[in-house]
Amino acid sequence: MCLVRIAIGVLALALPLTFAGRAQNAPSVDLSQMSLEDLMDIKVTSVSKKEQRLARTAAAVFVIDQDDIRRSGAASIPDVLRMAPGVDVEQIDASAWAISIRGFNFRYSNKVLVLIDGRTVYTPSFSGVYWDHLDMPLEDIDRIEVIRGPGGTVWGANAVNGVISIITKSSRDTKGGLLTAGGGSQLHALGQLRYGGSAGRASGSYRIFAKYFDIGNAAAADGSPANDHWRRSHAGFRSDWEITHRDSLTVQGDLFANRESGTFRPGFSTTPFDTFTAGDVAATGGDVLARWNHTLAGGSQTSLQAYYDTYRRTEYGPPEVLRTFDLDFQHHLDAGDRNEIVWGLGYRVNSSGLSPGYDVAFSPPSRTDSLFSVFLQDEIRLSSAFSFIAGLKLEHNAYTGLETEPSARLSWNRPGGRHTVWAAASKAARQPARADSDISAPLATIPFGPDTVQVLRLLGNPQAKAEQIRDYEVGYRSELTKKLSVDVATFLSFYRHLATYEPQPPVIIPGSPLQILIQLKFQNNARATDYGGEVSLNWNAASRWRISPGYSYLHAALRQDPSSQGSTSSTIATGFPQNTFQIRSLVNLSQTMEFDQSLYYTARLPGGTIPGHARLDLRLSRRFGDSTELSIVGQNLLRPRTVEYGDASALLGTQAVRSVYGKITWRF
């Protein structure tokens, strides 16, 4: 606690002391000269699988660039994502998060697709993302494109409420060495080494890296140290080659090993009779990706990408193993003066399994599934100001067969104008996971008498349907003045075939104690309607000061079909924050010093037990020459500990704690 108070005092004192001497020191970067026009001119690729100017993009897109990441002080990708409006980031324990876009948030949020350089990290076993698998050197990220709203036409299954696309830097941009070391009150140790250079001829480049961190326990409900220690080792490489003036090749790969602690209940549901067990989670995995880009003689471009991904994870007893191979081809061409076409083919095969003999089981224990896809998208320039984009994706999966995911988008932006108005209508689907069709898992064991217990179990349904969305959006994006820009998006979404758990007739199992077995079977007997919007601003308040606020509103109504006798898998009380707000302030104190502040607020969920909570992060940094930077970061500074989400399935939630860490970065 003394360290925390000292650090906050240093941060508070640094601001007035440095401003007092500002007449003698001009900032190294004039924030007012970081033109908002340049920000609007950022190229994004995740909306249509081709480069587009952000200003003309007919989608709700928020871009987090490398400077945003560096100045956020974040130590993890989930903390970086807090700055994007409409993205709900809630920490469960030191290594687990619930992250979603526009609702349906829980630990395994199954309606957001997450990509790293075009490689999907969505797990087909339990749905959602293991965020503890995703850590990477934040310095290697070029940008993160956050798309709010369906992206199924381009990216396919599970891009229902949004897409988070993490794009890393080319190795040509990371030559030389980078050494990072740090530690603090909860981030006990951080070490990272990266080196890059030219490979073979001048046309090739490479980088290799190794990273390790040790994150200490958060807080339990009574304020004592929790049992959620997390250690991770991670190493990887990337190489980029300009083979000819028409051909380029990228090859990259990663290996990681996690060791985590957690506290678990025996079932997935909360009861007053729960007993908790401290346990360890081990996860190891790796991937390799290759992408070949080729420009044809007529100027059209093709891309062929292949990757292999695997992990092994132990959490609920049985080891979970997943192996994925993916092959993707796309072709981008101009057809006449008005049509810009992107089309592609895809094939993915997943082999997944849980070792038999445990209480959590899949039937069959292992299986191999294939996914076939084809998509076509045409951008039609109706006039100098109007563009119309129509697209369709066809996918065939092993659970529900053929799924169609169409979209239509219209944008208006006059040449040289500062205003863009856009509208979109889309359909997307979340295909079932193995947990939906094949699982058998304990939910709860409840004493029902002196020698009788009621046992609840979850059963999968081989006839599970795909959850579907029909979504309508309208947005406005503008550089209002040279110092102020705004981005607004509104949406209305209709969901059908949402997951419910339906009780089956009870089964009496004789013995001591007598068991009354009630099985809850996965069904698709719910619907929902969501509406809301997000707004984000960029304001160059002064030559040294930029302010970036954001706000999102979400209203949701869940309804069960008349035939449903069970409960929905999502609840308003945990998955749909109605109001979230964030504001970031970036200040250049002098040529060598920066002071950055980030405030995040999530209102109490309707009917929920988690109170509204705010988080304040501060960062103070000092550069020494061109090669060294020293920074001190305070996170979650408003109170000693905060509950953000609570329990998640069988995992006992902990409280995020106030923390401070220091970091030094040396480039050589």
Side-chain angles (χ1 to χ4, degrees):
M1 185 63 67
C2 181
L3 177 62
V4 171
R5 291 174 178 168
I6 291 172
I8 295 174
V10 169
L11 292 171
L13 288 173
L15 182 59
L17 288 175
T18 310
F19 267 121
R22 65 183 180 179
Q24 301 163 11
N25 293 302
S28 59
V29 177
D30 187 342
L31 288 174
S32 69
Q33 297 305 311
M34 296 170 61
S35 169
L36 294 178
E37 184 179 354
D38 292 339
L39 294 177
M40 302 291 279
D41 201 43
I42 290 174
K43 300 296 190 298
V44 295
T45 59
S46 301
V47 176
S48 300
K49 283 195 175 181
K50 63 184 181 69
E51 278 197 350
Q52 295 175 283
R53 288 181 61 235
L54 176 61
R56 295 183 64 94
T57 302
V61 184
F62 188 87
V63 179
I64 304 170
D65 65 19
Q66 173 54 221
D67 200 53
D68 291 326
I69 296 171
R70 181 182 66 85
R71 299 191 69 160
S72 71
S76 67
I77 290 175
D79 282 347
V80 169
L81 294 174
R82 293 180 188 272
M83 70 179 75
V87 180
D88 182 28
V89 179
E90 309 292 349
Q91 189 159 5
I92 300 170
D93 72 1
S95 60
W97 286 265
I99 301 176
S100 190
I101 298 175
R102 295 180 176 175
F104 294 95
N105 199 12
F106 57 106
R107 184 182 179 190
Y108 302 116
S109 297
N110 57 22
K111 295 175 179 61
V112 175
L113 186 67
V114 182
L115 306 157
I116 301 176
D117 290 327
R119 173 177 62 89
T120 178
V121 292
Y122 183 101
T123 173
S125 296
F126 288 94
S127 291
V129 174
Y130 289 123
W131 289 97
D132 54 323
H133 289 195
L134 265 62
D135 176 78
M136 65 177 63
L138 298 182
E139 293 84 356
D140 290 351
I141 298 175
D142 180 66
R143 65 189 185 278
I144 301 176
E145 298 178 5
V146 180
I147 302 169
R148 307 183 303 275
T153 300
V154 171
W155 297 108
N158 312 317
V160 174
N161 280 12
V163 177
I164 298 172
S165 179
I166 302 168
I167 301 168
T168 63
K169 296 178 179 178
S170 168
S171 58
R172 290 186 294 272
D173 301 325
T174 55
K175 293 181 180 180
L178 174 73
L179 178 64
T180 300
S185 58
Q186 189 184 24
L187 179 61
H188 292 169
L190 168 66
Q192 175 184 311
L193 177 62
R194 183 191 77 199
Y195 188 80
S198 298
R201 300 177 182 177
S203 61
S205 59
Y206 73 93
R207 71 165 172 262
I208 56 175
F209 74 87
K211 181 179 179 181
Y212 171 82
F213 64 70
D214 184 330
I215 294 178
N217 296 319
D222 60 1
S224 63
N227 179 58
D228 58 354
H229 195 183
W230 180 22
R231 294 177 297 275
R232 176 180 172 92
S233 302
H234 183 196
F237 76 95
R238 172 166 173 160
S239 61
D240 296 274
W241 303 80
E242 294 292 336
I243 301 173
T244 71
H245 69 284
R246 291 184 178 178
D247 296 274
S248 63
L249 176 67
T250 296
V251 181
Q252 60 192 81
D254 298 85
L255 292 171
F256 75 88
N258 285 359
R259 189 71 177 181
E260 306 160 16
S261 299
T263 302
F264 302 91
R265 58 168 48 89
F268 287 87
S269 297
T270 303
T271 76
F273 312 100
D274 288 337
T275 58
F276 298 97
T277 304
D280 291 330
V281 178
T284 57
D287 63 86
V288 61
L289 177 149
R291 181 171 52 252
W292 172 43
N293 296 318
H294 176 66
T295 301
L296 299 174
S300 65
Q301 299 172 330
T302 63
S303 174
L304 180 64
Q305 175 179 282
Y307 70 79
Y308 175 78
D309 191 349
T310 184
Y311 68 77
R312 183 181 189 276
R313 183 181 181 93
T314 60
E315 182 165 346
Y316 299 117
E320 177 199 355
V321 178
L322 176 69
R323 299 180 182 90
T324 301
F325 174 76
D326 183 279
L327 187 64
D328 181 82
F329 170 81
Q330 73 176 54
H331 184 197
H332 175 205
L333 70 155
D334 292 329
D337 296 331
R338 292 182 176 270
N339 296 77
E340 191 174 352
I341 297 173
V342 180
W343 69 276
L345 303 168
Y347 171 71
R348 182 180 304 159
V349 57
N350 294 306
S351 176
S352 61
L354 285 179
S355 298
Y358 294 85
D359 210 16
V360 177
F362 281 164
S363 179
S366 61
R367 64 182 285 176
T368 299
D369 298 320
S370 295
L371 179 70
F372 303 88
S373 65
V374 57
F375 86 94
L376 173 67
Q377 184 165 272
D378 186 7
E379 179 174 357
I380 307 168
R381 290 181 285 276
L382 302 176
S383 69
S384 60
F386 280 98
S387 292
F388 177 70
I389 303 173
L392 174 66
K393 184 148 196 162
L394 303 176
E395 282 191 318
H396 188 279
N397 68 73
Y399 298 92
T400 62
L402 184 66
E403 298 288 344
T404 61
E405 297 176 280
S407 68
R409 300 178 182 273
L410 180 68
S411 68
W412 174 85
N413 178 277
R414 290 186 305 174
R418 294 183 173 183
H419 308 278
T420 299
V421 180
W422 61 269
S426 310
K427 176 189 173 186
R430 197 280 292 187
Q431 73 176 45
R434 289 207 64 191
D436 302 329
S437 66
D438 300 344
I439 199 169
S440 174
L443 288 175
T445 300
I446 304 171
F448 206 63
D451 196 32
T452 304
V453 295
Q454 180 176 278
V455 178
L456 302 180
R457 289 192 68 86
L458 176 64
L459 287 183
N461 180 3
Q463 282 75 48
K465 300 177 182 178
E467 297 181 316
Q468 296 182 351
I469 182 177
R470 286 169 172 81
D471 181 81
Y472 306 91
E473 298 175 273
V474 176
Y476 171 71
R477 187 178 294 118
S478 176
E479 182 188 352
L480 298 176
T481 71
K482 290 188 176 182
K483 292 188 176 183
L484 179 65
S485 69
V486 63
D487 195 334
V488 181
T490 61
F491 61 90
L492 173 63
S493 305
F494 300 95
Y495 300 84
R496 64 175 185 170
H497 303 321
L498 294 180
T500 58
Y501 301 128
E502 303 293 341
Q504 306 300 298
V507 177
I508 306 299
I509 302 177
S512 182
L514 179 74
Q515 295 185 32
I516 304 174
L517 175 62
I518 299 178
Q519 300 180 101
L520 301 181
K521 191 174 183 179
F522 182 93
Q523 298 278 9
N524 298 93
N525 295 332
R527 295 168 290 163
T529 302
D530 287 4
Y531 63 83
E534 305 99 14
V535 58
S536 59
L537 299 170
N538 272 304
W539 177 35
N540 287 338
S543 63
R544 307 176 181 192
W545 188 17
R546 168 169 289 174
I547 301 174
S548 300
Y551 169 75
S552 63
Y553 173 79
L554 170 65
H555 177 85
L558 290 173
R559 299 182 300 278
Q560 292 177 237
D561 296 341
S563 61
S564 176
Q565 302 297 315
S567 60
T568 58
S569 62
S570 300
T571 65
I572 299 292
T574 58
F576 297 84
Q578 215 168 43
N579 296 278
T580 60
F581 172 77
Q582 57 273 124
I583 183 168
R584 299 181 61 234
S585 169
L586 310 179
V587 181
N588 287 343
L589 300 177
S590 71
Q591 289 181 337
T592 58
M593 295 190 69
E594 298 169 339
F595 181 46
D596 306 313
Q597 314 95 50
S598 302
L599 176 66
Y600 311 99
Y601 176 73
T602 301
R604 178 174 178 170
L605 277 67
T609 59
I610 305 299
H613 49 276
R615 172 186 172 116
L616 174 66
D617 295 350
L618 300 178
R619 171 183 174 270
L620 179 67
S621 73
R622 169 71 185 272
R623 290 189 302 277
F624 299 89
D626 296 329
S627 61
T628 306
E629 182 179 54
L630 177 65
S631 59
I632 182 169
V633 177
Q635 295 183 315
N636 205 27
L637 296 176
L638 295 179
R639 54 184 58 86
R641 57 186 187 273
T642 304
V643 178
E644 291 191 354
Y645 189 85
D647 296 352
S649 299
L651 178 64
L652 184 68
T654 62
Q655 301 186 69
V657 297
R658 177 189 290 156
S659 64
V660 173
Y661 74 89
K663 183 174 75 170
I664 184 168
T665 302
W666 176 43
R667 300 177 186 274
F668 58 94

